[in-house]
Amino acid sequence: MARLKFGAFLAPHHPIGEHPMLQFRRDLDLVEQLDALGYDEFWCGEHHSSGWEMIASPEMFLAAAGERTKRIKLGTGVVSLPYHHPFNVAQRMVQLDHMTGGRAIFGSGPGALASDAHTLGIDPMTQRDRQDEAIGIIRRLFNGERVTAKSDWFTMNDAALQILPLQEEMPFVVASQISPSGMTLAGKYGIGIISLGSMTTQGLMSLQQQWQFAEDAAKKHGTKVDRADWRVLLTWHIAETREQARREAGAGLMRWHNEYNVGTLQRPGLTAFSSPDEAVDKTAFVEGAASTIGTPDDLVKTIKNVMQVSGGVGAIIGFVHDWANPEATRRSWDMVARYVVPEINGYIDGLRKSQKFVIENRAIFERAGQAVMAKIMENEKAAEALKVTGPGRVAIPAVNAPDLQKEAAKR
């Protein structure tokens, strides 16, 4: 089985009320922790309104994160391409790639918040076409081409990058919700996907159909898409027990849902939760739930279900939220790294097999006891000393010692 990658996605979604400077620093602390725990990727978004989402430049944030980390890949999740001149985006991504030692992933989208597009005077009907157009231009720039292009929203005259990406080929990834546009764009260019709509039950169940959109587009444009480059976003909060996870996450989950999704974004079809218990029950304990609030075993089960429903993906990306307090949140990410990742990727299978072999073949190892006893009994003084240095009193750790009492009885 191919190894599954794990990562984190920071929109961010921070409740209003905390000092923004401290939020930025705590988010950077989290990236540093994830790097130390062995996570593969960290993604950071771009937003300009809503109050809860206050990182305007993912490139700036990821450049700072690059100075604190050593190996984790750093992805823009995402740069909203219609908001920027494509040449400027290309230059910033190249600089980020060099500043992070070749760890940048270029994630793009059309722009998620209608309020952002309104602020910038952009017609929402043009956003997806502009993303498509910008990707084509940026790919040409990354390939070292000199580009002259005129559009209804940008102009380039003999434009060429002074520096190319440090990576021979910087990964391109597009964001996908439930509509086919993101997957179709991935198929058109043969690039990666990060599925954001999978955080809902509807989005989770549509993953197989979503992949079909990508494959159909790839076939049409003569490209290829690879499931290894497909990332699926999930939400979780993990603790030692389900009861503890519920206590830690309930109130924050309720606030996030009621104040942000219902109160601020006013997402259609959503109603406010009346209690933390209702928030947890309707988020994590309904049929086909896309969120996990529970133990590492619960998350393992969720991920295995995602693999079955989707037909296979390359990475599981956890959504960063403030449902629990900072200490419990950091512990949740720690437990996923310690228990979920090795279980999914089979890192402890060999240890279990080794233990099972020793247990099931105990008779084979009885000869070790016979060998020790033979040497003891060859020496009259040692044989006499066995009476006071027998089982439970030998220097050898009991778990490794032969059963001397059993061997003595045989003699």
Side-chain angles (χ1 to χ4, degrees):
M1 181 182 72
R3 176 181 174 272
L4 195 62
K5 293 182 179 179
F6 283 81
F9 185 99
L10 176 73
H13 281 192
H14 290 316
I16 299 171
E18 184 178 337
H19 197 311
M21 177 189 71
L22 299 179
Q23 287 179 329
F24 287 137
R25 289 181 178 177
R26 193 172 74 244
D27 290 337
L28 288 170
D29 290 342
L30 176 63
V31 188
E32 194 171 1
Q33 177 196 8
L34 298 179
D35 182 56
L37 289 172
Y39 283 87
D40 300 286
E41 299 176 353
F42 182 86
W43 296 78
C44 177
E46 171 194 355
H47 301 92
H48 307 279
S49 57
S50 87
W52 281 59
E53 304 186 64
M54 28 69 78
I55 290 181
S57 173
E59 304 97 327
M60 287 182 66
F61 182 89
L62 295 175
E67 291 300 297
R68 289 198 182 199
T69 56
K70 297 178 180 178
R71 51 166 299 282
I72 194 168
K73 297 283 188 178
L74 301 167
T76 55
V78 296
V79 173
S80 300
L81 292 182
Y83 303 170
H84 309 277
H85 194 293
F87 188 78
N88 288 336
V89 174
Q91 287 201 116
R92 292 198 303 266
M93 288 306 304
V94 167
Q95 182 170 332
L96 179 64
D97 198 38
H98 280 266
M99 291 181 68
T100 59
R103 290 187 282 145
I105 303 174
F106 176 41
S108 73
L113 296 180
S115 51
D116 286 353
H118 173 76
T119 297
L120 297 168
I122 298 172
D123 181 356
M125 298 301 292
T126 68
Q127 288 177 253
R128 282 155 185 78
D129 290 340
R130 288 186 177 187
Q131 182 194 5
D132 186 347
E133 188 175 15
I135 288 176
I137 292 291
I138 293 169
R139 284 169 66 86
R140 291 177 62 191
L141 291 169
F142 279 4
N143 288 333
E145 296 183 34
R146 187 171 293 278
V147 179
T148 296
K150 186 173 181 60
S151 173
D152 60 345
W153 61 292
F154 70 84
T155 299
M156 287 187 189
N157 295 319
D158 299 319
L161 296 174
Q162 297 184 100
I163 306 172
L164 296 180
L166 182 60
Q167 299 176 81
E168 186 172 357
E169 186 172 347
M170 186 190 301
F172 271 65
V173 176
V174 293
S176 172
Q177 296 280 354
I178 296 179
S179 75
S181 58
M183 302 298 279
T184 300
L185 198 59
K188 176 180 179 179
Y189 290 104
I191 56 181
I193 306 141
I194 182 166
S195 291
L196 308 182
S198 52
M199 289 197 300
T200 67
T201 300
Q202 180 185 4
L204 190 62
M205 298 309 296
S206 69
L207 286 176
Q208 188 63 260
Q209 179 60 60
Q210 291 284 304
W211 185 252
Q212 190 62 53
F213 290 141
E215 288 192 326
D216 289 346
K219 184 177 181 180
K220 177 180 177 181
H221 292 277
T223 64
K224 291 183 179 180
V225 284
D226 190 338
R227 286 181 179 270
D229 298 323
W230 186 14
R231 299 156 175 88
V232 169
L233 195 65
L234 297 177
T235 50
W236 61 65
H237 179 72
I238 303 303
E240 284 80 0
T241 66
R242 287 185 180 179
E243 292 73 18
Q244 181 180 342
R246 174 185 289 270
R247 286 195 307 271
E248 292 174 347
L253 167 59
M254 179 178 172
R255 182 180 181 186
W256 171 73
H257 177 83
N258 290 1
E259 291 188 17
Y260 181 70
N261 292 309
V262 177
T264 302
L265 299 185
Q266 302 176 44
R267 296 191 187 278
L270 294 184
T271 57
F273 296 136
S274 60
S275 69
D277 278 338
E278 182 189 13
V280 173
D281 289 339
K282 290 188 176 180
T283 300
F285 293 99
V286 294
E287 186 68 28
S291 298
T292 303
I293 298 175
T295 67
D297 288 342
D298 292 325
L299 183 54
V300 167
K301 182 178 179 181
T302 297
I303 293 172
K304 288 182 176 179
N305 179 59
V306 168
M307 298 299 284
Q308 182 177 6
V309 168
S310 66
V313 303
I316 296 294
I317 309 297
F319 186 78
V320 179
H321 51 71
D322 286 343
W323 295 353
N325 64 38
E327 293 74 24
T329 298
R330 289 173 66 89
R331 190 172 64 251
S332 172
W333 288 100
D334 180 80
M335 292 189 72
V336 173
R338 289 167 62 196
Y339 301 114
V340 177
V341 174
E343 187 67 35
I344 291 294
N345 285 329
Y347 295 156
I348 53 180
D349 288 354
L351 297 174
R352 289 193 177 120
K353 290 177 182 177
S354 179
Q355 179 192 37
K356 186 172 184 287
F357 182 81
V358 172
I359 292 171
E360 294 180 347
N361 293 274
R362 182 64 189 173
I364 297 175
F365 310 120
E366 291 294 334
R367 187 164 176 77
Q370 295 171 9
V372 172
M373 186 58 65
K375 288 298 181 182
I376 291 174
M377 300 308 290
E378 286 176 1
N379 186 296
E380 184 178 343
K381 291 183 179 180
E384 186 64 24
L386 182 61
K387 297 176 181 179
V388 294
T389 60
R393 296 184 293 276
V394 293
I396 309 172
V399 70
N400 297 320
D403 192 339
L404 300 183
Q405 188 175 32
K406 182 178 179 181
E407 290 301 322
K410 288 180 181 178
R411 294 177 179 275

